[in-house]
Amino acid sequence: MNIFCLLRLHRHILLLSLLSLLAVTTQANDTAYKQVNGYKIFYSAFNSSFIQPEIASIYKIVRGKDKGIVNIAVVPDGETSGKTAQVSGYVSNIFAQQQFLEFLEVREQNAVYYLAPFEFENEDPLTFKIEVRPASGTTTEFISFQRTFYHEE
């Protein structure tokens, strides 16, 4: 198997992992997406340790007990995969300390999603404030959600 096949396989595994996490989040919390102007904006945030080391290496994701990833996908109504968008935002803790999120666009065949790393303290309740503007949209949408993070042992 050549390196390109391995990279394609790893990307596919990452996409499946992220979609699985998104599905679990959706089942646990029925509001894991926001319906706006012909789009569903899916969002999730999770510990970086959920990503396999090989996959993290490909996307230069730093794994650690105090590191998390936020995932955004913009899916037009009637479609099943994410499309391009402008995504920006920040995460803040209860002391109003902010970390700006630097989103990485990930393309997997015809799907697009956005990942951004962040750091957290143990039992850290975080508030995410994210702006999303679909490439074919004319308005910017705002998403805000909260999650509490725990260090993975």
Side-chain angles (χ1 to χ4, degrees):
M1 188 177 282
N2 68 31
I3 189 70
F4 295 109
C5 289
L6 284 174
L7 287 174
R8 190 175 306 134
L9 177 63
H10 286 304
R11 286 184 189 153
H12 187 67
I13 291 169
L14 176 63
L15 178 62
L16 291 175
S17 298
L18 291 173
L19 291 177
S20 296
L21 284 170
L22 190 58
V24 169
T25 303
T26 302
Q27 290 174 358
N29 179 359
D30 290 339
T31 60
Y33 70 89
K34 181 177 181 180
Q35 178 74 48
V36 290
N37 298 324
Y39 294 91
K40 286 184 181 170
I41 302 173
F42 289 89
Y43 56 90
S44 63
F46 49 89
N47 290 45
S48 65
S49 60
F50 291 165
I51 298 175
Q52 295 299 315
E54 308 81 39
I55 304 301
S57 175
I58 291 169
Y59 291 100
K60 297 178 176 50
I61 295 170
V62 178
R63 299 171 72 241
K65 70 178 187 177
D66 63 345
K67 302 199 181 330
I69 300 290
V70 61
N71 179 25
I72 303 293
V74 180
V75 181
D77 288 345
E79 297 191 31
T80 58
S81 60
K83 302 300 179 195
T84 59
Q86 294 176 352
V87 183
S88 62
Y90 65 91
V91 58
S92 58
N93 63 15
I94 60 173
F95 301 111
Q97 296 169 320
Q98 294 182 351
Q99 297 174 61
F100 287 94
L101 299 168
E102 293 185 33
F103 284 90
L104 163 72
E105 182 179 272
V106 178
R107 292 178 177 262
E108 176 60 35
Q109 295 174 350
N110 59 353
V112 179
Y113 51 96
Y114 298 87
L115 304 176
F118 60 91
E119 294 183 358
F120 61 90
E121 297 295 325
N122 193 37
E123 297 183 37
D124 204 359
L126 299 177
T127 300
F128 295 84
K129 302 233 181 215
I130 299 173
E131 297 179 15
V132 178
R133 183 175 185 166
S136 60
T138 57
T139 61
T140 299
E141 303 299 337
F142 299 91
I143 295 176
S144 179
F145 64 98
Q146 296 180 324
R147 297 284 186 274
T148 299
F149 287 84
Y150 302 91
H151 286 174
E152 292 290 315
E153 297 299 323

